[in-house]
Amino acid sequence: MMDHRRTRQGYALCLLLALAAERTAFADWAGFAQYGAVAEISIEPGAVDMDIRIKESVFTNPAETGGGSLVPGLLRLKDENGHIVEGRMESFNGAGAVQGKADAPYFEARVHFDVGGKPDTLTLVPAPQPGQKLGVVVSHRGVPLADLGALEAPARLTLDWNDPWRSRFDAPGRIRRHSAPRSFLYVEPYEVRHEVLLRLDDLAPYLRFKPKDPQNLSASEREFLKQGAGDFLRTRNPVRINGAAVEPQIDRVEFLCFGRQGMRKAGDSEPLYPASALVGAILVYLTEAPAETVDLQWELFDPGLERRPVTLFFGKESFEFEATPRDPLFRWSSEEALGLTPEVEQPATALAADDERSLPAIPLQAAAVAFLAAAWLARRKHPVLAGTGLAAAAAMLFPQTLGLIGQPAARTEAFPRPQVQTRLEALLHNVYRAYALRSEEASYDRLAMSLDGPLLEDVYLRQRRAVLARNQGLGGEGRVSRIEVLGDGLATRKLGPSRFEVTGRWIAHGTVSHWGHSHDRHTLYAARMVLNIAEDGTWKITAMDLLEGRPSAPSARS
């Protein structure tokens, strides 16, 4: 029997939660390994700035590592009259190696171009070294014009200074995907998360908002807009899960910016241009059971935004849709999308079937009675046959007395392993998710779906103190996106009719997975737990003893 001391239980589970809350590190400059150099180009009135990283291998002549002659020539600008605009290097230094999957020495530089006023067009003219590709990401007043991509030939930009969202590359092959206003849906155990990206210009009319300064949003305006956007979105774009309408909770509302790492939260003191500002809201729909179907009815269409891209993530799978005023309803089901047949579990039946003390089924009892009757009638004329009949009847009525079934040595597992795996994965994931909820009531309710008894109270009190100490939940700094209970070594032992012990290991797959981008981390845990099954068939963890916790490589299922 395991030790059920409250301090040990609370420490074990809170340790898991605290480890989950660590900031997840991820490689800087996504895609850097594919290019000889990567440039982030920012276009503002009168100026173009280029931050560039250059691999050491690009410098064929060691004397060039001063950067003075090579860097400005890697990329030039042409103004709308076709005149070359020379760049002026403002800084150059070596900064070591890119931290990521493909480490390589590099140099960093910043180049400034004076373009004068607000040009209608600009042309990027690359001059990369032979065999070395130059990757670029270009933003106009904070709005990316396309995803990171190679620049191997001159590319013309058309700039709309009134609405930077309409600025573009003239080349049709350069498109903006994840950084555009859109929706991301994440289907996870016990919740569906809807991440909404909206232009401030599209949201402002509904909030009756007009900025005081057309060049920057003040701190008070930002807070007003975040509160108003949350209240507004809570009642719009309804979501139905498993056929029922679910009211969302607002997890957070943020102003977002773009950079070489992708999308990020805008700093409080960072300028925000109202015409290009992007609002991101995360709505969480909590469920009592895993989602089998999800319906999203998109309602907000404007003349400048009549198509709404939607991407749904379910495990490692993703599903794309484009909502329009004529077809605004996005529908998804796990059965249709993945060819799955939902498992209908009957815990009470399963428990009775697995309880070694359960009585034989009625048909078996009837057969045993028939054998007894025949043996009684034949006891004088056929004693051998009668003895055989009595033995058969005894085996049917009392099989455990003959060691045929139900012996503990033969049946040590309390439940089928796949059933325990599935249930335990959902229970543990729900505990991790509860740690991210900021509302005390919502957090407690989520924990109560997985935990019970003294363990529930202890974990709740400890995790609330940890959240308050950081002034925020797990959120964007790190999130356990999936729990994978490992079948190897998973063992169960019955402690009573509705109570059993589980010893096993699982991997907590942690991610920063906001706005369509994910960066992974994996941690292996081992623990011994006690689970109870209520009369309505729900499973809950009532005790836990942590045995191990350490970083892990991605599993085969990852």
Side-chain angles (χ1 to χ4, degrees):
M1 186 71 66
M2 63 179 288
D3 184 5
H4 297 166
R5 290 174 296 174
R6 291 181 60 184
T7 55
R8 175 61 173 164
Q9 298 165 1
Y11 171 79
L13 197 50
C14 287
L15 175 61
L16 309 188
L17 299 172
L19 290 173
E22 296 174 358
R23 176 179 289 272
T24 302
F26 54 89
D28 192 10
W29 287 73
F32 179 68
Q34 305 177 40
Y35 306 103
V38 175
E40 179 186 6
I41 302 167
S42 176
I43 304 174
E44 296 291 338
V48 174
D49 287 302
M50 178 176 72
D51 290 312
I52 186 167
R53 274 187 175 176
I54 312 163
K55 287 184 180 178
E56 187 179 50
S57 59
V58 171
F59 295 93
T60 56
N61 182 352
E64 294 176 340
T65 55
S69 60
L70 175 64
V71 175
L74 286 176
L75 187 141
R76 301 175 188 269
L77 291 184
K78 283 186 179 181
D79 62 20
E80 50 196 335
N81 298 315
H83 299 145
I84 290 289
V85 180
E86 297 289 348
R88 180 179 72 254
M89 190 165 66
E90 295 188 333
S91 65
F92 182 85
N93 58 75
V98 174
Q99 300 301 312
K101 297 180 180 179
D103 295 345
Y106 67 87
F107 295 90
E108 279 189 325
R110 183 176 180 84
V111 181
H112 177 83
F113 301 84
D114 291 314
V115 295
K118 299 179 178 180
D120 293 331
T121 64
L122 286 173
T123 301
L124 307 180
V125 182
Q129 297 295 302
Q132 299 284 359
K133 292 194 299 181
L134 172 64
V136 297
V137 57
V138 182
S139 63
H140 180 209
R141 304 227 69 180
V143 176
L145 306 192
D147 296 340
L148 174 67
L151 184 67
E152 298 174 317
R156 188 170 181 263
L157 310 173
T158 297
L159 306 174
D160 188 329
W161 291 92
N162 293 320
D163 185 359
W165 287 100
R166 296 180 182 273
S167 299
R168 66 186 189 280
F169 277 89
D170 288 355
R174 293 186 179 272
I175 58 177
R176 180 177 55 218
R177 294 185 180 86
H178 290 294
S179 54
R182 58 178 301 128
S183 285
F184 298 104
L185 289 166
Y186 295 84
V187 178
E188 299 176 350
Y190 296 112
E191 81 170 45
V192 172
R193 191 166 78 252
H194 184 195
E195 297 185 351
V196 183
L197 292 175
L198 287 171
R199 301 186 306 177
L200 177 58
D201 272 1
D202 296 322
L203 190 59
Y206 297 101
L207 304 181
R208 298 181 181 179
F209 172 77
K210 186 175 181 180
K212 297 177 182 178
D213 180 357
Q215 300 302 314
N216 189 28
L217 291 173
S218 68
S220 60
E221 287 176 322
R222 298 182 197 196
E223 290 305 313
F224 166 80
L225 288 168
K226 287 194 288 186
Q227 180 65 45
D231 293 341
F232 174 74
L233 291 172
R234 186 183 282 111
T235 60
R236 305 302 294 267
N237 311 315
V239 170
R240 299 180 68 86
I241 302 172
N242 297 336
V246 183
E247 183 178 351
Q249 296 183 12
I250 299 297
D251 186 70
R252 67 185 61 215
V253 180
E254 299 169 337
F255 283 98
L256 302 173
C257 293
F258 303 93
R260 55 202 178 201
Q261 294 178 353
M263 203 169 300
R264 63 176 177 82
K265 179 182 176 182
D268 293 338
S269 59
E270 190 172 354
L272 274 180
Y273 181 48
S276 61
L278 189 69
V279 180
I282 302 177
L283 294 84
V284 177
Y285 300 82
L286 305 179
T287 62
E288 298 297 326
E292 299 289 351
T293 63
V294 176
D295 294 349
L296 168 64
Q297 178 87 27
W298 187 258
E299 297 177 337
L300 307 179
F301 293 102
D302 293 291
L305 190 64
E306 294 186 347
R307 294 182 177 275
R308 182 71 181 180
V310 179
T311 302
L312 182 142
F313 296 93
F314 180 61
K316 292 295 181 179
E317 303 288 337
S318 63
F319 307 88
E320 303 288 341
F321 178 74
E322 197 169 66
T324 65
R326 299 188 65 178
D327 186 15
L329 180 61
F330 168 72
R331 287 181 169 173
W332 173 89
S333 76
S334 61
E335 184 176 8
E336 293 179 3
L338 302 180
L340 301 175
T341 301
E343 180 182 355
V344 179
E345 296 183 357
Q346 299 177 345
T349 303
L351 180 62
D354 282 328
D355 191 340
E356 59 270 20
R357 293 171 299 179
S358 58
L359 294 176
I362 295 299
L364 191 62
Q365 291 176 327
V369 171
F371 268 103
L372 281 174
W376 177 261
L377 293 174
R379 68 187 186 282
R380 293 185 178 180
K381 294 185 179 180
H382 305 285
V384 176
L385 179 61
T388 303
L390 287 171
M396 292 178 183
L397 285 172
F398 310 104
Q400 57 269 37
T401 62
L402 299 183
L404 297 181
I405 64 173
Q407 287 293 340
R411 291 179 57 83
T412 59
E413 295 292 331
F415 290 93
R417 186 173 299 177
Q419 184 183 15
V420 175
Q421 275 185 275
T422 301
R423 289 295 192 98
L424 196 54
E425 284 177 354
L427 289 171
L428 290 171
H429 183 280
N430 187 59
V431 171
Y432 282 105
R433 179 55 184 147
Y435 192 61
L437 299 177
R438 299 180 180 182
S439 164
E440 292 191 22
E441 182 179 358
S443 178
Y444 185 87
D445 290 345
R446 296 302 289 178
L447 285 173
M449 294 176 64
S450 292
L451 310 179
D452 203 0
L455 181 63
L456 169 61
E457 301 297 330
D458 204 6
V459 169
Y460 169 73
L461 293 175
R462 289 171 179 267
Q463 65 99 338
R464 289 312 301 169
R465 285 197 294 268
V467 168
L468 293 175
R470 291 197 314 276
N471 292 322
Q472 63 177 5
L474 183 60
E477 265 78 42
R479 179 189 298 274
V480 173
S481 60
R482 183 169 62 88
I483 296 299
E484 178 185 350
V485 173
L486 304 178
D488 182 29
L490 184 66
T492 64
R493 182 169 66 92
K494 289 189 69 62
L495 303 177
S498 59
R499 188 165 171 265
F500 64 100
E501 182 183 273
V502 176
T503 302
R505 301 178 301 149
W506 70 91
I507 298 177
H509 298 283
T511 63
V512 175
S513 57
H514 284 170
W515 321 118
H517 299 276
S518 296
H519 310 279
D520 298 333
R521 186 185 64 177
H522 314 274
T523 308
L524 174 69
Y525 299 103
R528 186 164 57 249
M529 294 161 280
V530 171
L531 276 73
N532 278 16
I533 302 179
E535 292 183 359
D536 61 359
T538 58
W539 296 27
K540 292 188 179 182
I541 304 171
T542 59
M544 172 178 283
D545 192 4
L546 182 67
L547 306 175
E548 182 182 8
R550 59 181 172 83
S552 171
S555 66
R557 281 172 58 185
S558 300

